[in-house]
Coordinates of all heavy atoms in Angstrom, one line a residue:
M1 N -13.2 3.6 -3.7 CA -11.8 3.2 -4.1 C -11.5 4.1 -5.3 O -12.3 4.3 -6.2 CB -11.7 1.7 -4.5 CG -10.4 1.3 -4.9 SD -10.3 -0.5 -5.0 CE -8.7 -0.7 -5.7
P2 N -10.3 4.6 -5.4 CA -9.9 5.5 -6.5 C -9.6 4.7 -7.8 O -9.4 3.5 -7.7 CB -8.6 6.1 -6.0 CG -8.0 5.1 -5.1 CD -9.2 4.5 -4.4
I3 N -9.7 5.4 -8.9 CA -9.3 4.8 -10.1 C -7.8 4.6 -10.1 O -7.1 5.5 -9.6 CB -9.7 5.7 -11.3 CG1 -11.2 5.8 -11.4 CG2 -9.1 5.2 -12.6 CD1 -11.6 6.9 -12.4
T4 N -7.3 3.4 -10.4 CA -5.9 3.1 -10.4 C -5.3 2.9 -11.8 O -6.0 2.3 -12.6 CB -5.6 1.9 -9.5 OG1 -6.2 0.8 -10.0 CG2 -6.0 2.2 -8.0
I5 N -4.1 3.3 -12.0 CA -3.4 3.1 -13.2 C -2.1 2.4 -12.8 O -1.3 2.9 -12.0 CB -3.0 4.4 -13.9 CG1 -4.3 5.2 -14.2 CG2 -2.3 4.1 -15.2 CD1 -4.1 6.6 -14.8
T6 N -2.0 1.2 -13.3 CA -0.8 0.3 -12.9 C 0.2 0.2 -14.1 O -0.2 -0.2 -15.2 CB -1.3 -1.1 -12.6 OG1 -2.3 -1.0 -11.5 CG2 -0.1 -2.0 -12.1
V7 N 1.4 0.6 -13.8 CA 2.5 0.5 -14.8 C 2.9 -1.0 -14.7 O 3.6 -1.4 -13.8 CB 3.6 1.4 -14.6 CG1 4.7 1.2 -15.6 CG2 3.2 2.9 -14.6
R8 N 2.5 -1.8 -15.6 CA 2.8 -3.2 -15.6 C 4.3 -3.5 -16.1 O 4.7 -2.9 -17.1 CB 1.9 -4.0 -16.4 CG 0.4 -4.0 -15.9 CD -0.5 -4.8 -16.7 NE -1.8 -4.9 -16.1 CZ -3.0 -4.6 -16.7 NH1 -2.9 -4.4 -18.0 NH2 -4.1 -4.7 -16.1
K9 N 5.0 -4.3 -15.3 CA 6.4 -4.5 -15.7 C 6.5 -5.1 -17.1 O 5.8 -6.1 -17.4 CB 6.9 -5.6 -14.7 CG 8.4 -5.9 -14.9 CD 9.3 -4.9 -14.2 CE 10.7 -5.4 -14.4 NZ 11.6 -4.2 -14.4
N10 N 7.2 -4.4 -17.9 CA 7.4 -4.8 -19.3 C 6.1 -5.0 -20.1 O 6.0 -5.9 -21.0 CB 8.3 -6.1 -19.4 CG 9.6 -5.9 -18.7 OD1 10.2 -4.9 -18.8 ND2 10.1 -7.0 -18.1
G11 N 5.1 -4.2 -19.7 CA 3.8 -4.3 -20.4 C 3.0 -3.0 -20.4 O 3.6 -1.9 -20.5
S12 N 1.7 -3.2 -20.4 CA 0.8 -2.1 -20.6 C 0.6 -1.2 -19.4 O 1.1 -1.5 -18.3 CB -0.5 -2.7 -21.1 OG -1.1 -3.5 -20.1
L13 N -0.3 -0.3 -19.5 CA -0.8 0.5 -18.4 C -2.2 -0.1 -18.1 O -3.1 0.0 -19.0 CB -1.0 2.0 -18.7 CG 0.4 2.7 -19.1 CD1 0.1 4.1 -19.5 CD2 1.3 2.7 -17.8
G14 N -2.4 -0.6 -17.0 CA -3.7 -1.2 -16.6 C -4.5 -0.2 -15.8 O -4.0 0.4 -14.9
I15 N -5.7 0.1 -16.3 CA -6.6 1.1 -15.6 C -7.8 0.3 -15.0 O -8.5 -0.3 -15.7 CB -7.0 2.1 -16.6 CG1 -5.8 2.8 -17.3 CG2 -7.9 3.2 -15.9 CD1 -6.1 3.7 -18.4
N16 N -8.0 0.5 -13.7 CA -9.0 -0.2 -13.0 C -9.8 0.8 -12.2 O -9.3 1.7 -11.6 CB -8.5 -1.3 -12.1 CG -8.0 -2.4 -12.9 OD1 -8.8 -3.2 -13.4 ND2 -6.7 -2.6 -13.0
A17 N -11.1 0.6 -12.2 CA -12.1 1.3 -11.3 C -13.1 0.4 -10.8 O -13.4 -0.6 -11.5 CB -12.7 2.5 -12.1
E18 N -13.7 0.7 -9.7 CA -14.8 -0.1 -9.1 C -15.9 -0.2 -10.1 O -16.5 -1.2 -10.4 CB -15.2 0.5 -7.8 CG -15.7 -0.5 -6.8 CD -15.9 0.1 -5.5 OE1 -14.8 0.2 -4.8 OE2 -17.0 0.5 -5.1
D19 N -16.2 1.0 -10.7 CA -17.3 1.0 -11.8 C -16.6 1.5 -13.1 O -16.0 2.6 -13.2 CB -18.3 2.1 -11.4 CG -19.4 2.3 -12.4 OD1 -19.3 1.6 -13.5 OD2 -20.3 3.1 -12.2
A20 N -16.6 0.6 -14.1 CA -15.9 0.9 -15.3 C -16.4 2.1 -16.0 O -15.7 2.8 -16.8 CB -16.0 -0.3 -16.3
A21 N -17.6 2.6 -15.7 CA -18.2 3.8 -16.3 C -17.4 5.0 -15.8 O -17.5 6.1 -16.4 CB -19.7 3.9 -15.9
Q22 N -16.6 4.9 -14.7 CA -15.8 6.0 -14.2 C -14.7 6.3 -15.1 O -14.1 7.4 -15.1 CB -15.3 5.7 -12.8 CG -16.3 5.6 -11.7 CD -15.6 5.2 -10.4 OE1 -15.1 4.1 -10.3 NE2 -15.5 6.2 -9.5
I23 N -14.3 5.4 -16.0 CA -13.1 5.5 -16.9 C -13.6 6.0 -18.2 O -14.4 5.3 -18.9 CB -12.4 4.2 -17.0 CG1 -11.9 3.7 -15.7 CG2 -11.2 4.4 -18.0 CD1 -11.3 2.3 -15.7
V24 N -13.2 7.2 -18.6 CA -13.6 7.7 -19.9 C -12.3 8.0 -20.6 O -11.5 8.9 -20.2 CB -14.4 9.0 -19.8 CG1 -14.8 9.6 -21.1 CG2 -15.7 8.7 -19.0
L25 N -12.1 7.4 -21.8 CA -10.9 7.6 -22.6 C -11.2 8.5 -23.7 O -12.2 8.3 -24.5 CB -10.4 6.2 -23.1 CG -9.1 6.2 -23.9 CD1 -7.9 6.7 -23.0 CD2 -8.9 4.8 -24.4
L26 N -10.4 9.6 -23.9 CA -10.7 10.6 -24.9 C -9.6 10.6 -25.9 O -8.4 10.4 -25.6 CB -10.9 12.0 -24.3 CG -11.9 12.1 -23.2 CD1 -11.8 13.5 -22.6 CD2 -13.3 11.8 -23.8
D27 N -9.9 10.9 -27.2 CA -8.9 11.1 -28.2 C -8.4 12.6 -28.1 O -8.9 13.4 -27.3 CB -9.3 10.7 -29.6 CG -10.4 11.7 -30.2 OD1 -10.6 12.7 -29.6 OD2 -10.9 11.3 -31.3
H28 N -7.5 13.0 -29.0 CA -6.9 14.3 -29.0 C -7.9 15.4 -29.3 O -7.6 16.6 -29.0 CB -5.7 14.4 -30.0 CG -6.2 14.2 -31.4 ND1 -6.5 13.0 -31.9 CD2 -6.3 15.2 -32.4 CE1 -6.8 13.2 -33.2 NE2 -6.7 14.5 -33.5
E29 N -9.1 15.0 -29.8 CA -10.1 16.0 -30.0 C -11.2 16.0 -29.0 O -12.2 16.7 -29.1 CB -10.8 15.8 -31.4 CG -9.8 16.0 -32.6 CD -10.4 15.7 -33.9 OE1 -11.4 14.9 -34.0 OE2 -9.9 16.3 -34.9
G30 N -11.0 15.2 -28.0 CA -12.0 15.1 -26.9 C -13.1 14.2 -27.1 O -14.1 14.1 -26.4
K31 N -13.0 13.4 -28.2 CA -14.1 12.4 -28.5 C -13.8 11.1 -27.7 O -12.7 10.7 -27.5 CB -14.1 12.0 -30.0 CG -14.5 13.2 -30.9 CD -14.4 12.7 -32.3 CE -14.4 13.9 -33.3 NZ -13.9 13.6 -34.6
V32 N -14.9 10.5 -27.2 CA -14.8 9.3 -26.4 C -14.4 8.1 -27.3 O -14.9 7.9 -28.3 CB -16.2 9.0 -25.7 CG1 -16.1 7.7 -25.0 CG2 -16.6 10.1 -24.8
I33 N -13.4 7.4 -26.8 CA -12.9 6.2 -27.4 C -13.6 5.1 -26.6 O -13.3 4.9 -25.4 CB -11.4 6.0 -27.3 CG1 -10.7 7.2 -28.1 CG2 -11.0 4.7 -27.9 CD1 -9.2 7.3 -27.9
P34 N -14.5 4.3 -27.2 CA -15.2 3.3 -26.5 C -14.2 2.2 -26.0 O -13.2 1.9 -26.7 CB -16.2 2.7 -27.5 CG -15.8 3.2 -28.8 CD -14.9 4.4 -28.6
P35 N -14.5 1.6 -24.9 CA -13.6 0.5 -24.4 C -13.6 -0.7 -25.3 O -14.5 -0.9 -26.0 CB -14.2 0.1 -23.0 CG -15.5 0.7 -23.0 CD -15.6 1.8 -24.0
R36 N -12.4 -1.3 -25.4 CA -12.3 -2.4 -26.3 C -13.1 -3.6 -25.9 O -13.7 -4.3 -26.8 CB -10.8 -2.9 -26.3 CG -10.5 -3.9 -27.4 CD -9.0 -4.0 -27.6 NE -8.7 -5.1 -28.5 CZ -7.9 -6.0 -28.3 NH1 -7.2 -6.1 -27.1 NH2 -7.7 -7.0 -29.1
A37 N -13.2 -3.9 -24.7 CA -14.0 -5.0 -24.2 C -14.8 -4.5 -22.9 O -14.2 -4.2 -21.9 CB -13.1 -6.2 -23.9
E38 N -16.1 -4.6 -23.0 CA -16.9 -4.1 -21.9 C -16.7 -5.1 -20.7 O -16.5 -6.3 -20.9 CB -18.4 -4.2 -22.3 CG -18.8 -3.2 -23.3 CD -18.9 -1.8 -22.8 OE1 -19.0 -1.6 -21.6 OE2 -18.9 -0.9 -23.6
G39 N -16.6 -4.5 -19.5 CA -16.5 -5.3 -18.3 C -15.2 -5.8 -18.0 O -15.0 -6.5 -17.0
R40 N -14.2 -5.5 -18.8 CA -12.8 -5.9 -18.5 C -12.0 -4.7 -18.2 O -12.2 -3.6 -18.6 CB -12.2 -6.7 -19.8 CG -12.9 -7.9 -20.1 CD -12.2 -8.7 -21.2 NE -10.8 -8.9 -20.8 CZ -9.9 -9.2 -21.7 NH1 -10.1 -9.2 -23.0 NH2 -8.6 -9.4 -21.4
P41 N -10.9 -4.9 -17.4 CA -10.0 -3.8 -17.1 C -9.4 -3.2 -18.4 O -9.2 -4.0 -19.3 CB -8.9 -4.4 -16.2 CG -9.5 -5.7 -15.7 CD -10.5 -6.2 -16.8
M42 N -9.3 -1.9 -18.4 CA -8.8 -1.3 -19.6 C -7.2 -1.4 -19.5 O -6.6 -1.2 -18.5 CB -9.2 0.2 -19.6 CG -8.8 0.9 -20.9 SD -9.4 2.6 -21.0 CE -11.2 2.4 -21.2
S43 N -6.6 -1.7 -20.7 CA -5.2 -1.8 -20.7 C -4.7 -1.0 -21.9 O -5.1 -1.3 -23.1 CB -4.9 -3.3 -20.9 OG -3.5 -3.6 -20.8
L44 N -3.8 -0.1 -21.7 CA -3.3 0.8 -22.7 C -1.9 0.5 -23.1 O -1.1 0.2 -22.2 CB -3.4 2.3 -22.3 CG -4.8 2.8 -21.9 CD1 -4.7 4.3 -21.5 CD2 -5.7 2.7 -23.1
C45 N -1.6 0.5 -24.4 CA -0.3 0.1 -24.9 C 0.7 1.2 -24.6 O 0.4 2.4 -24.7 CB -0.4 0.0 -26.4 SG 1.2 -0.4 -27.2
R46 N 1.9 0.8 -24.2 CA 3.0 1.8 -24.0 C 4.3 1.3 -24.7 O 5.3 1.9 -24.6 CB 3.3 2.1 -22.5 CG 3.8 1.0 -21.7 CD 3.9 1.5 -20.3 NE 4.4 0.4 -19.4 CZ 5.6 0.5 -18.9 NH1 6.4 1.5 -19.0 NH2 6.0 -0.6 -18.1
C47 N 4.1 0.2 -25.5 CA 5.3 -0.3 -26.2 C 5.3 0.2 -27.6 O 6.3 0.1 -28.3 CB 5.3 -1.9 -26.2 SG 4.2 -2.7 -27.3
G48 N 4.1 0.6 -28.1 CA 4.0 1.1 -29.5 C 3.7 0.0 -30.5 O 3.5 0.3 -31.7
A49 N 3.7 -1.3 -30.2 CA 3.5 -2.3 -31.2 C 2.0 -2.8 -31.3 O 1.8 -3.6 -32.3 CB 4.3 -3.5 -30.8
S50 N 1.1 -2.3 -30.5 CA -0.3 -2.8 -30.6 C -0.9 -2.5 -31.9 O -0.7 -1.4 -32.5 CB -1.1 -2.2 -29.5 OG -2.4 -2.5 -29.6
K51 N -1.7 -3.4 -32.4 CA -2.4 -3.1 -33.7 C -3.8 -2.5 -33.4 O -4.6 -2.2 -34.3 CB -2.6 -4.4 -34.4 CG -1.3 -5.0 -34.9 CD -1.4 -6.4 -35.4 CE 0.0 -7.0 -35.7 NZ 0.8 -7.3 -34.4
V52 N -4.1 -2.3 -32.1 CA -5.4 -1.8 -31.7 C -5.2 -0.6 -30.8 O -6.0 -0.4 -29.8 CB -6.4 -2.8 -31.1 CG1 -6.8 -3.9 -32.1 CG2 -5.7 -3.5 -29.9
K53 N -4.2 0.2 -31.0 CA -3.9 1.4 -30.2 C -5.2 2.3 -30.0 O -5.9 2.4 -31.0 CB -2.8 2.2 -30.8 CG -1.4 1.5 -30.8 CD -0.4 2.5 -31.4 CE 0.9 1.7 -31.7 NZ 0.9 1.1 -33.0
P54 N -5.4 2.8 -28.9 CA -4.4 2.9 -27.8 C -4.4 1.7 -26.9 O -3.7 1.8 -25.9 CB -4.9 4.2 -27.1 CG -6.4 4.2 -27.3 CD -6.6 3.6 -28.7
F55 N -5.2 0.7 -27.2 CA -5.3 -0.4 -26.3 C -4.1 -1.4 -26.5 O -3.6 -1.5 -27.6 CB -6.6 -1.2 -26.5 CG -7.8 -0.3 -26.3 CD1 -8.5 0.2 -27.4 CD2 -8.1 0.2 -25.0 CE1 -9.6 1.1 -27.2 CE2 -9.2 1.0 -24.8 CZ -9.9 1.5 -25.9
C56 N -3.8 -2.2 -25.5 CA -2.8 -3.2 -25.6 C -3.5 -4.5 -26.2 O -4.6 -4.8 -25.9 CB -2.3 -3.5 -24.1 SG -1.3 -5.0 -24.0
D57 N -2.8 -5.1 -27.1 CA -3.3 -6.4 -27.7 C -2.3 -7.5 -27.4 O -2.5 -8.6 -28.0 CB -3.5 -6.2 -29.2 CG -2.2 -6.1 -30.0 OD1 -1.1 -6.0 -29.4 OD2 -2.3 -6.0 -31.2
G58 N -1.4 -7.3 -26.5 CA -0.5 -8.4 -26.1 C 0.8 -8.4 -27.0 O 1.7 -9.2 -26.7
S59 N 0.9 -7.5 -28.0 CA 2.0 -7.5 -28.9 C 3.4 -7.3 -28.1 O 4.4 -7.6 -28.6 CB 1.9 -6.5 -30.0 OG 0.8 -6.9 -30.8
H60 N 3.3 -6.6 -27.0 CA 4.5 -6.3 -26.2 C 5.3 -7.6 -25.9 O 6.5 -7.6 -25.8 CB 4.2 -5.5 -24.9 CG 3.3 -6.2 -24.0 ND1 1.9 -6.1 -24.0 CD2 3.6 -7.1 -23.0 CE1 1.4 -6.8 -23.1 NE2 2.4 -7.4 -22.4
K61 N 4.6 -8.7 -25.8 CA 5.2 -10.0 -25.5 C 6.1 -10.4 -26.6 O 7.2 -10.9 -26.5 CB 4.2 -11.0 -25.1 CG 3.5 -10.7 -23.8 CD 2.4 -11.7 -23.5 CE 1.4 -11.2 -22.4 NZ 0.2 -11.8 -22.4
E62 N 5.5 -10.4 -27.9 CA 6.2 -10.8 -29.1 C 7.4 -9.9 -29.3 O 8.5 -10.3 -29.8 CB 5.3 -10.8 -30.3 CG 4.2 -11.8 -30.2 CD 3.1 -11.5 -31.3 OE1 3.5 -11.0 -32.3 OE2 1.9 -11.8 -31.0
L63 N 7.2 -8.6 -29.0 CA 8.2 -7.6 -29.2 C 9.4 -7.7 -28.2 O 10.5 -7.4 -28.5 CB 7.6 -6.2 -29.1 CG 8.5 -5.0 -29.2 CD1 8.9 -4.8 -30.7 CD2 7.8 -3.7 -28.8
G64 N 9.1 -8.3 -27.1 CA 10.1 -8.4 -26.1 C 10.3 -7.1 -25.4 O 11.4 -6.8 -25.0
F65 N 9.2 -6.3 -25.3 CA 9.3 -5.0 -24.7 C 9.8 -5.1 -23.2 O 9.4 -5.9 -22.4 CB 7.9 -4.3 -24.6 CG 7.8 -3.0 -23.9 CD1 8.5 -1.9 -24.5 CD2 7.1 -2.9 -22.7 CE1 8.4 -0.7 -23.9 CE2 7.1 -1.6 -22.1 CZ 7.7 -0.5 -22.7
I66 N 10.8 -4.2 -23.0 CA 11.4 -4.2 -21.7 C 11.3 -2.7 -21.2 O 11.7 -1.8 -21.9 CB 12.9 -4.5 -21.7 CG1 13.1 -5.9 -22.4 CG2 13.6 -4.5 -20.3 CD1 13.5 -7.0 -21.6
D67 N 10.9 -2.5 -20.0 CA 10.8 -1.2 -19.4 C 12.2 -0.5 -19.5 O 13.2 -1.2 -19.2 CB 10.4 -1.2 -17.9 CG 9.0 -1.6 -17.7 OD1 8.2 -1.1 -18.5 OD2 8.7 -2.3 -16.7
P68 N 12.2 0.7 -19.9 CA 13.5 1.4 -20.0 C 14.1 1.6 -18.6 O 15.3 1.6 -18.5 CB 13.2 2.8 -20.6 CG 11.7 2.9 -20.6 CD 11.1 1.5 -20.4
A69 N 13.3 1.7 -17.6 CA 13.8 1.9 -16.2 C 12.6 1.7 -15.3 O 11.4 1.8 -15.7 CB 14.3 3.3 -16.1
D70 N 12.9 1.3 -14.1 CA 11.9 1.2 -13.1 C 11.5 2.6 -12.7 O 12.3 3.4 -12.3 CB 12.5 0.5 -11.8 CG 11.4 0.3 -10.8 OD1 10.4 1.0 -10.7 OD2 11.6 -0.7 -10.0
P71 N 10.2 2.9 -12.9 CA 9.7 4.3 -12.6 C 10.0 4.8 -11.2 O 10.2 5.9 -10.9 CB 8.2 4.3 -12.9 CG 7.8 2.9 -13.0 CD 9.1 2.1 -13.3
M72 N 10.1 3.8 -10.3 CA 10.4 4.2 -8.9 C 11.9 4.6 -8.7 O 12.2 5.1 -7.7 CB 10.0 3.1 -7.9 CG 8.5 2.7 -8.0 SD 7.4 4.2 -7.8 CE 7.7 4.6 -6.1
D73 N 12.7 4.3 -9.7 CA 14.1 4.6 -9.6 C 14.4 6.0 -10.2 O 15.6 6.4 -10.2 CB 15.0 3.6 -10.3 CG 15.0 2.3 -9.5 OD1 14.7 2.3 -8.3 OD2 15.3 1.2 -10.2
N74 N 13.4 6.7 -10.7 CA 13.6 8.0 -11.4 C 13.8 9.0 -10.3 O 12.9 9.4 -9.6 CB 12.4 8.3 -12.3 CG 12.6 9.5 -13.1 OD1 13.4 10.4 -12.8 ND2 11.9 9.6 -14.2
P75 N 15.0 9.6 -10.2 CA 15.2 10.6 -9.2 C 14.5 11.9 -9.4 O 14.3 12.8 -8.5 CB 16.7 10.9 -9.3 CG 17.1 10.5 -10.7 CD 16.2 9.4 -11.1
D76 N 13.9 12.1 -10.7 CA 13.2 13.4 -11.0 C 11.7 13.3 -10.5 O 11.0 14.3 -10.5 CB 13.2 13.7 -12.5 CG 14.7 14.0 -12.9 OD1 15.5 14.5 -12.1 OD2 15.0 13.6 -14.1
L77 N 11.3 12.1 -10.1 CA 9.9 12.0 -9.6 C 9.8 12.4 -8.1 O 10.8 12.1 -7.4 CB 9.4 10.5 -9.8 CG 9.2 10.1 -11.2 CD1 8.8 8.6 -11.2 CD2 8.1 10.9 -11.9
P78 N 8.7 13.0 -7.8 CA 8.5 13.3 -6.3 C 8.5 12.0 -5.5 O 7.9 11.0 -6.0 CB 7.2 14.1 -6.3 CG 6.6 13.9 -7.6 CD 7.6 13.4 -8.6
Q79 N 9.1 12.0 -4.4 CA 9.1 10.8 -3.6 C 8.0 10.9 -2.5 O 7.7 12.0 -2.1 CB 10.5 10.7 -2.9 CG 11.7 10.6 -3.8 CD 11.6 9.4 -4.8 OE1 11.4 8.3 -4.4 NE2 11.7 9.7 -6.1
G80 N 7.5 9.8 -2.2 CA 6.5 9.8 -1.1 C 5.2 9.5 -1.6 O 4.3 9.1 -1.8
Ligands
FES101 S1 1.9 -2.7 -24.2 FE1 0.9 -4.4 -24.9 S2 0.9 -4.2 -27.0 FE2 2.0 -2.5 -26.3

């Protein structure tokens, strides 16, 4: 099964893999950022409010983060 990245509605980017060791998160210098919680799906913030960036801490709920648009409605994305 491929590694999947899910754009969660009004929330984070959920990254899942059959084996969590397949997911390696790097900083801008190429250093490994250890997962926040071993054995749990990785969830990355895209609202900007998390206090544990790059991970989601649930702050998007308090912020009332709303997706700017449905990514599937973007005409500039390849279809199919
Ligand atoms: S997306 Fe969850 S805290 Fe930003």
Side-chain angles (χ1 to χ4, degrees):
M1 181 166 173
I3 295 171
T4 60
I5 302 172
T6 303
V7 179
R8 295 184 175 131
K9 181 84 177 151
N10 302 327
S12 63
L13 297 173
I15 304 173
N16 287 286
E18 211 165 278
D19 177 0
Q22 292 177 290
I23 302 171
V24 178
L25 184 61
L26 303 175
D27 71 8
H28 65 285
E29 295 178 334
K31 294 180 197 158
V32 173
I33 299 172
R36 186 164 176 234
E38 293 285 344
R40 294 187 55 204
M42 190 177 288
S43 186
L44 299 179
C45 176
R46 69 184 178 111
C47 76
S50 174
K51 294 166 190 71
V52 293
K53 292 180 192 86
F55 302 104
C56 170
D57 68 356
S59 293
H60 60 270
K61 294 174 193 161
E62 296 166 29
L63 180 70
F65 176 68
I66 306 251
D67 285 324
D70 184 332
M72 299 309 289
D73 290 341
N74 186 338
D76 295 329
L77 291 177
Q79 303 298 310

